[in-house]
Amino acid sequence: TQLLEQSPQFLSIQEGENLTVYCNSSSVFSSLQWYRQEPGEGPVLLVTVVTGGEVKKLKRLTFQFGDARKDSSLHITAAQPGDTGLYLCAENSGGSNYKLTFGKGTLLTVNP
Amino acid sequence: GAVVSQHPSRVICKSGTSVKIECRSLDFQATTMFWYRQFPKQSLMLMATSNEGSKATYEQGVEKDKFLINHASLTLSTLTVTSAHPEDSSFYICSARSRLAGGREQFFGPGTRLTVL
């Protein structure tokens, strides 16, 4: 089972600031997904990255997949209180059941 | 989009009782359903994987006799926590994988908060 390291574990910032969270592994990802989870709810898929060097944008969120497909980052520009939540990266094992292995998550708090 | 529901959303029970949680895919057929447990401020930990009509596959360290999973149809899976104890208090989340379009994506339910007194 692949071990996914996420950093930072906790992040508290003011509204309007930029931030980056990271997801790393010692092994190559087949594909990587980023999720956002609000308290008391299930995680919601933000993006899937598959190709090394890939960059995807979702409004103020920019996702990068490392060239070697062993790391990924999520950058948020001009954070808003509505961005508060637990950000999780997950690797799809690609086996017959497509199991997901989650990182430990980054708990983001954006203060007004 | 694909919707997964869970029932109940919250349950409080006494120690020693059993609790059943339902997971339904509302607008698609789910080849596979997954059950996760999440403790406060922590990530999701996969408990088991279930395919319709087959026995569930449990992750290492998860007691199959304590967490009974039944995947009776392509739209319903249930998790029964038997003889629940306070340490079983957690947020239980299910997800479902569609049969369609390669079925790589998992769609998550809203979770069930279990509190055992």
Side-chain angles (χ1 to χ4, degrees):
Chain A
T1 303
Q2 179 139 253
L3 192 63
L4 276 65
E5 298 286 345
Q6 278 191 250
S7 62
Q9 191 174 354
F10 300 97
L11 188 56
S12 180
I13 61 171
Q14 293 299 121
E15 182 176 1
E17 293 183 2
N18 302 332
L19 67 115
T20 303
V21 298
Y22 301 91
C23 178
N24 299 286
S25 172
S26 56
S27 305
V28 174
F29 294 117
S30 55
S31 66
L32 189 81
Q33 297 179 330
W34 283 95
Y35 291 81
R36 177 168 163 265
Q37 184 184 23
E38 296 192 34
E41 298 183 11
V44 175
L45 179 65
L46 297 174
V47 77
T48 300
V49 287
V50 178
T51 306
E54 187 174 5
V55 177
K56 286 191 174 179
K57 292 195 174 186
L58 186 65
K59 296 183 181 178
R60 292 176 293 100
L61 278 60
T62 301
F63 303 86
Q64 286 192 299
F65 201 20
D67 291 339
R69 291 164 52 214
K70 296 171 101 173
D71 59 274
S72 180
S73 64
L74 158 59
H75 182 80
I76 301 179
T77 304
Q80 300 175 1
D83 295 326
T84 293
L86 180 66
Y87 288 82
L88 297 157
C89 65
E91 198 244 352
N92 193 317
S93 67
S96 60
N97 283 321
Y98 294 99
K99 281 170 51 173
L100 289 176
T101 300
F102 282 89
K104 291 189 175 182
T106 294
L107 187 59
L108 171 66
T109 303
V110 182
N111 303 298
Chain B
V3 178
V4 175
S5 70
Q6 282 185 238
H7 178 80
S9 57
R10 291 177 176 269
V11 57
I12 301 173
C13 68
K14 292 182 179 180
S15 186
T17 60
S18 294
V19 175
K20 181 184 283 189
I21 302 170
E22 291 186 349
C23 176
R24 293 182 185 272
S25 57
L26 298 185
D27 49 2
F28 66 98
Q29 291 185 324
T31 309
T32 307
M33 287 185 169
F34 303 86
W35 286 96
Y36 297 84
R37 181 167 51 183
Q38 185 178 32
F39 292 106
K41 296 186 178 180
Q42 294 188 21
S43 187
L44 280 70
M45 297 297 296
L46 180 65
M47 299 174 67
T49 303
S50 75
N51 291 294
E52 185 261 342
S54 303
K55 287 185 178 180
T57 302
Y58 290 81
E59 295 298 302
Q60 192 172 12
V62 178
E63 299 174 61
K64 62 180 180 180
D65 294 331
K66 181 167 185 63
F67 298 100
L68 300 178
I69 292 172
N70 187 306
H71 195 157
S73 75
L74 283 170
T75 59
L76 173 65
S77 177
T78 60
L79 167 68
T80 301
V81 184
T82 61
S83 186
H85 288 94
E87 57 266 29
D88 299 323
S89 297
S90 189
F91 194 51
Y92 292 88
I93 304 173
C94 73
S95 70
R97 185 168 72 87
S98 171
R99 301 178 75 179
L100 301 177
R104 286 179 175 242
E105 185 174 349
Q106 291 183 29
F107 301 95
F108 287 83
T112 296
R113 173 76 59 194
L114 170 63
T115 303
V116 185
L117 302 177

